[in-house]
Amino acid sequence: MPEFNKLNRTFARRIGKRLSNQNKELLANVLPTYLFSNELVTFKSHQKKYLEIGFGMGEHLFNQIVINPENLYIGVEVYLNGIASFLKLVAKSQNDNFLIWPNDVDMILKDIPNRSLEGVYVLFPDPWHKRRYMKKRLMNKERVEFLKSKLKTGGFIAFASDIEDYFENVKKIFLEDKELIIQNTDFLLPHAGYIITKYHQKSIRENREAQFLQAILARET
Ligand SMILES: C[S@@+](CC[C@H](N)C(=O)[O-])C[C@H]1O[C@@H](n2cnc3c(N)ncnc32)[C@H](O)[C@@H]1O
């Protein structure tokens, strides 16, 4: 399996706006209860497990945990104000069916047991428009291959982008992969449990159309 180059960061910022005292407090006192560890994932073995990479402000992750309380969601995000924002949403609910990794997904991806996930969500990953930065894009052939190794047979990758060439690129990777079968024919329709995110709202305001892909892993053995 590929080792991802830690210097080739797929994210732009970890701290944007200054952290408010309330956000600092959430990160210091609430986050530790939900911190991802491989042991915890294995311990919660009775639950179906899903991974969301780059959950932003956490709207979609929160919606999934609320509508599917029987499942376990691993949410990964480097942006600290985003993590705090998700913890604020959670504070108003009774849900505890999630674990959070507050850093680069590459630090934990290899620790997630192979063939353990039912699904992976990668929604509106950072576009990295400029040609010289395109290699920073989160979704590429290598990463799709790595994500596949973490999926159970029949598991899915749900991808969304409002950047035409990014979407077409990932669609091509999925189409060329003999083990992935794209499920949706209407790319304007999101997957089950989708809820419009802050980033998606911004793309609507800026007249970019969001497109969605859901691919199922159909390996033979
Ligand atoms: C454009 S935002 C989209 C956020 C959210 N999915 C949405 O739809 O609103 C992409 C997010 O991915 C996060 N991200 C990028 N690379 C990451 C990485 N390697 N590990 C974890 N998060 C990452 C960024 O911090 C950012 O919040």
Side-chain angles (χ1 to χ4, degrees):
M1 284 300 161
E3 272 296 313
F4 294 108
N5 179 356
K6 293 284 178 296
L7 296 173
N8 183 21
R9 297 193 337 187
T10 59
F11 52 92
R13 60 183 184 172
R14 183 147 168 79
I15 303 179
K17 264 195 294 174
R18 201 179 62 83
L19 283 169
S20 65
N21 286 342
Q22 189 194 5
N23 284 1
K24 278 186 195 157
E25 141 86 20
L26 285 163
L27 294 171
N29 299 327
V30 182
L31 179 60
T33 313
Y34 301 106
L35 204 56
F36 167 90
S37 77
N38 200 18
E39 293 71 34
L40 271 176
V41 173
T42 314
F43 174 70
K44 294 180 187 254
S45 60
H46 57 291
Q47 288 170 302
K48 288 185 174 176
K49 300 176 189 72
Y50 298 80
L51 171 69
E52 180 168 346
I53 304 174
F55 61 72
M57 306 305 273
E59 309 93 326
H60 175 265
L61 181 62
F62 180 66
N63 198 48
Q64 292 287 350
I65 70 169
V66 169
I67 62 179
N68 300 301
E70 69 286 8
N71 297 339
L72 178 75
Y73 291 85
I74 304 165
V76 182
E77 178 51 63
V78 290
Y79 181 48
L80 296 178
N81 274 315
I83 299 162
S85 171
F86 169 75
L87 293 174
K88 268 182 225 158
L89 293 174
V90 161
K92 295 184 203 137
S93 80
Q94 301 294 313
N95 295 82
D96 63 355
N97 53 327
F98 65 90
L99 295 170
I100 297 295
W101 178 248
N103 214 323
D104 190 340
V105 68
D106 286 339
M107 294 166 79
I108 60 154
L109 209 45
K110 62 180 181 320
D111 296 334
I112 295 177
N114 285 347
R115 301 189 177 211
S116 65
L117 299 175
E118 311 284 332
V120 178
Y121 300 97
V122 184
L123 307 178
F124 303 102
D126 291 305
W128 295 110
H129 290 291
K130 290 189 182 150
R131 184 158 289 279
R132 68 177 184 279
Y133 290 136
M134 277 188 185
K135 58 181 181 303
K136 288 175 176 282
R137 284 184 170 177
L138 191 71
M139 286 293 265
N140 51 39
K141 203 167 180 322
E142 265 192 324
R143 198 178 307 268
V144 168
E145 201 53 49
F146 204 23
L147 292 178
K148 278 171 57 190
S149 70
K150 302 296 163 187
L151 282 177
K152 286 184 176 172
T153 302
F156 66 81
I157 302 177
F159 173 77
S161 183
D162 58 328
I163 308 299
E164 183 72 24
D165 79 292
Y166 202 168
F167 180 82
E168 288 303 327
N169 237 306
V170 173
K171 188 165 86 179
K172 186 164 178 276
I173 294 169
F174 286 0
L175 284 171
E176 285 175 356
D177 190 311
K178 291 189 172 54
E179 294 182 325
L180 287 175
I181 302 165
I182 296 179
Q183 295 290 291
N184 55 321
T185 46
D186 184 347
F187 300 128
L188 300 180
L189 280 186
H191 52 270
Y194 179 74
I195 189 164
I196 205 155
T197 64
K198 191 173 168 201
Y199 184 87
H200 188 173
Q201 274 162 357
K202 183 168 174 264
S203 76
I204 293 170
R205 282 197 305 277
E206 294 173 1
N207 289 322
R208 286 189 306 276
E209 193 161 57
Q211 296 189 85
F212 299 83
L213 283 172
Q214 296 111 51
I216 298 281
L217 177 61
R219 60 165 89 80
E220 280 178 7
T221 52

